[in-house]
Amino acid sequence: MTEPGHSILSADDAPAALGQPGSSAGRGDDRRDTRPLGAGTGLGLGIGVLWLSLVVLLPLAAIVVASTDDGWSGFYDTVTGDAVAAALKLSIGMSLFVAFVNAIMGTLVAWVLVRDPFPGRRVLEVIIDVPFALPTIVAGLVLITLYGPMTPIGLELVGTRKAIFVALLFVTLPFVVRTVQPVLMELDREVEEAAASLGASRFTIFRRIVLPNLAPAIASGAGLCFARAVGEYGSVVLIAGNIPFQTEIASVRILTQIENDQTAAAAATATVLLAVGLLVIIALDLGRRLVGRRG
Amino acid sequence: MADAGADAAVKHPRRQRRLGLEPSRPTRYGLRFVALLYVGLLVLLPLGTVLWRTFENGVGPVWEAINQPDVWHAFRLTALVAILSVIINTIFGVGMALLLVRTRFPGRQALDFLLDLPLSVSPIVVGLALILVYGKNGWFGGALGDAGIQVIFATPGMVLATVFVSLPLVLREVMPVLREVGIEQEQAAQSLGASALQRFRRITLPTIKWAVAYGLVLSLARSLGEFGAVKVVSGNLLNRTQTATLVVEQKYQDFEQPAAYAIAFVLVFVAIIAIVIISIIRPKEDR
């Protein structure tokens, strides 16, 4: 079990591995496959961008604007205020931990799905996607049924940080599996065969060939995990107990602020969450561009 | 022989095992065991417990709990909001994918990047953002209110919230397919005199149809299950703006567990149907 344990450590120096697989070929024919905007496409683009602005961009901008309604000092006081800082710290710390665990377990599950054809694999495939498709509040209900006051297994987690941990593991399970699986499937096995014929051990092959190729996918899956976990609400709210300073996550804190009509404070807390999420997707986007996959 | 059932796959691994590519049998079984245990404990055990709790007293009470006017109202509202959102996101997604892949304009990469933004925003933050713009004291809320349009605490706001959280799902399925097929066929059709509409209907649409279907099911599952964002913008008003997910929470907190489980079961059922449909579509898309 030590092999996948190493995987996450190497995923951290992903940039070194990112340059390896292939050149950036395939992006060169961009100019041939595209044409400049015409009247019709220009109008379409205008409508699309307008819609995106109305639904996404302006509302998000409104949050950033509202976060300084009480001035910069108001923003600073809110974000460093005891309860808010504790909630943000809990959400970010817990999400990092969850992303780390699911990076390892997700890679392991993906490996089993791709390289270990056992009967019932199709069923496992379907189960992996359940957390994606399940409404978050239903996930919360599912977890409180198992770990709540009426727990059939004698393990009550309500009101503890373990409960948050389990809920976040649950909802982010598919991310790493689904990003690593296709890469593992496409991995050219002839390279591994060559290494084996030259006498490389199984562990060496995994560490030197499989892992570097998977590292970008693992990193991007873990990034998605983190981004999802840090803002999660529905699956956590029932089971966490939401005790300030102990089990109150950032999104629960924001909702309390909204309900107490502390709009500026809610916006300030939300701005921090937005910034964290934005950093993650910028990092993912840069990584994706370096690898030259998908675009 | 655990893998005796898999027909074509068997020969390949066996050859590689001789080369020392596959892990030894104990390692392989160990990894398989850990994977199954992890997924089983994390997903299957809780899910099974919910099913057991739901049907503890048979099917009768489940139906009774669902067959209430407020529950039916919530299901109808959920369906309305989800269907509207999926239609909007499908049109937007296909159109935007075509523009991003087939045309070039300044800022295209930035736009491409911005389209991923919604997926990494917390649902509660989505709700707050929409209130700040469309709420009574929001940027546009006053003007819309004067015109007699209520967005927040009403259906339009719930549709907006749902559109926000599932915005790029269709788009991100369609884009790679469009990029991969290239434009040769379309150019050929154009040189033979096909109009833009004909080219779209006869060439583009057939190539992307499975990607669209896949994105559509994903969006639908996401839309039916949205909770946090809808909770913030809907005001959670009984028989007016309560969707199925909101009713689940309310019933649970009102100690009406059987009702909460019954509605949750319906949502689980729909979610699993969605995944099964997706797993059927996915291989076709790969071809």
Side-chain angles (χ1 to χ4, degrees), chain A residues 73-133:
Chain A
S73 60
F75 176 86
Y76 184 79
D77 290 344
T78 302
V79 173
T80 54
D82 288 346
V84 172
L88 285 169
K89 219 179 284 175
L90 175 63
S91 275
I92 294 170
M94 194 62 95
S95 302
L96 283 173
F97 189 35
V98 162
F100 176 78
V101 172
N102 264 343
I104 298 169
M105 294 310 293
T107 308
L108 192 149
V109 172
W111 190 92
V112 169
L113 281 173
V114 174
R115 293 283 171 96
D116 182 17
F118 66 97
R121 198 171 42 151
R122 292 281 294 183
V123 180
L124 184 60
E125 287 263 8
V126 170
I127 296 170
I128 297 288
D129 276 338
V130 166
F132 262 161

Side-chain angles (χ1 to χ4, degrees), chain A residues 1 3-4 27 30-37 41-42 44-45 48-49 51-52 54-63 65-66 101-102 105 108-109 111-112 115-119 122 124-131 133-138 141-147 149-153 166 169-170 173 178 189 192-193 196-197 200-202 205 227 231-234 237-238 251-252 254-255 258-259 263 266-267 270 273-274 277-278 281-282 285 288-289 294-295, chain B residues 2-3 6 9 12-13 15-17 19-24 27-28 30-32 34-36 38-39 41-47 49-50 52-53 88-89 92 96 99 101-105 108-109 111-118 120-125 128-134 139-140 160 163-164 167 172-173 176 179 182-184 187 199 221 224-228 231-232 245-246 248-249 252-253 260-261 264 267-268 271-272 274-276 278-279 282-283:
Chain A
M1 253 20 52
E3 301 170 18
R27 311 194 98 234
D30 188 58
R31 286 197 79 80
R32 208 197 58 202
D33 277 5
T34 60
R35 56 202 154 78
L37 287 177
T41 47
L45 182 67
V49 171
W51 176 245
L52 180 70
L54 285 176
V55 180
V56 178
L57 302 180
L58 284 175
L60 291 182
I63 284 194
V65 171
V101 172
N102 264 343
M105 294 310 293
L108 192 149
V109 172
W111 190 92
V112 169
R115 293 283 171 96
D116 182 17
F118 66 97
R122 292 281 294 183
L124 184 60
E125 287 263 8
V126 170
I127 296 170
I128 297 288
D129 276 338
V130 166
L134 216 56
T136 53
I137 186 69
V138 175
L141 186 71
V142 162
L143 292 169
I144 205 168
T145 307
L146 188 61
Y147 302 111
M150 290 176 51
T151 173
I153 54 168
V166 172
L169 275 187
F170 180 93
L173 167 73
R178 292 294 176 228
R189 302 206 59 175
E192 291 172 59
E193 284 175 21
S197 72
S201 73
R202 293 178 179 121
I205 295 175
E232 180 57 23
Y233 172 72
V237 69
L238 287 181
S251 52
V252 172
I254 297 172
L255 190 60
I258 297 173
E259 283 167 349
T263 310
L273 266 196
L274 273 180
L278 198 64
I281 61 166
I282 288 175
D285 195 60
R288 209 182 297 155
R289 254 167 231 193
R294 271 190 124 180
Chain B
D3 49 4
H12 201 47
R15 184 168 58 90
Q16 276 149 358
R17 205 170 302 144
L19 277 167
L21 271 185
E22 292 297 311
S24 59
T27 315
R28 207 156 51 93
L31 289 174
R32 188 193 299 173
V34 172
L36 289 176
Y38 186 67
V39 175
L41 282 182
L42 201 58
V43 183
L44 220 50
L45 180 66
L47 211 56
T49 315
V50 157
W52 170 61
R53 277 264 185 270
I88 294 171
N89 276 341
F92 175 82
M96 211 38 135
L99 286 168
V101 176
R102 295 283 187 256
T103 63
R104 55 176 183 269
F105 51 87
R108 186 173 60 152
Q109 293 226 322
L111 183 61
D112 194 0
F113 171 78
L114 286 175
L115 285 164
D116 271 341
L117 212 55
S120 63
V121 178
S122 165
I124 301 296
V125 176
L128 175 64
L130 292 172
I131 286 182
L132 289 174
V133 173
Y134 299 102
W139 290 358
F140 304 151
L160 277 183
V163 167
F164 188 122
L167 191 89
R172 289 294 172 222
E173 295 305 323
R179 197 166 278 149
I183 53 164
E184 279 84 7
Q187 277 175 334
R199 292 199 305 269
L224 288 172
E226 181 44 35
F227 172 65
K231 183 177 174 179
V232 177
T245 50
L246 295 175
V248 169
E249 189 198 26
Y252 185 83
Q253 285 172 342
Y261 283 124
L267 291 170
V268 171
I272 290 180
I275 311 170
V276 170
I278 284 171
S279 73
R282 191 151 40 198

Side-chain angles (χ1 to χ4, degrees), chain A residues 185-236:
Chain A
M185 249 147 63
E186 273 173 36
L187 212 59
D188 192 354
R189 302 206 59 175
E190 281 176 18
V191 184
E192 291 172 59
E193 284 175 21
S197 72
L198 292 171
S201 73
R202 293 178 179 121
F203 180 67
T204 308
I205 295 175
F206 182 79
R207 195 168 53 88
R208 301 288 292 272
I209 295 173
V210 179
L211 210 51
N213 279 302
L214 294 186
I218 296 173
S220 107
L224 291 171
C225 258
F226 175 82
R228 170 70 199 267
V230 85
E232 180 57 23
Y233 172 72
S235 61
V236 177

